[in-house]
Amino acid sequence: MLAAAASERLYWQVRDALACSEEVQVVAQPWREAGRTDLTTRAVKERLDEYVTALMDTLG
């Protein structure tokens, strides 16, 4: 069940993003194999960083 409160969803979004941060190379590889050569490990790290920053900015 989806968390009812936005703050509860935010917790899970941040948690999921941080879990992926440990395995960015593993996450990026299938995208590159599918033809997204622009999604280098560095690019995925940067996007993940931007995503977590945007999530944290919602806290005010």
Side-chain angles (χ1 to χ4, degrees):
M1 183 167 109
L2 186 62
S7 62
E8 293 171 357
R9 289 190 298 275
L10 179 61
Y11 167 81
W12 290 106
Q13 290 169 320
V14 171
R15 188 175 185 277
D16 287 346
L18 293 177
C20 290
S21 70
E22 303 264 333
E23 301 173 355
V24 171
Q25 187 170 358
V26 174
V27 171
Q29 185 64 33
W31 287 104
R32 283 194 303 278
E33 291 171 2
R36 291 294 309 268
T37 56
D38 59 312
L39 293 177
T40 63
T41 300
R42 181 179 178 152
V44 173
K45 283 180 184 179
E46 289 172 359
R47 287 184 181 194
L48 186 58
D49 219 21
E50 291 170 7
Y51 176 67
V52 172
T53 299
L55 289 173
M56 298 310 291
D57 285 348
T58 65
L59 293 173

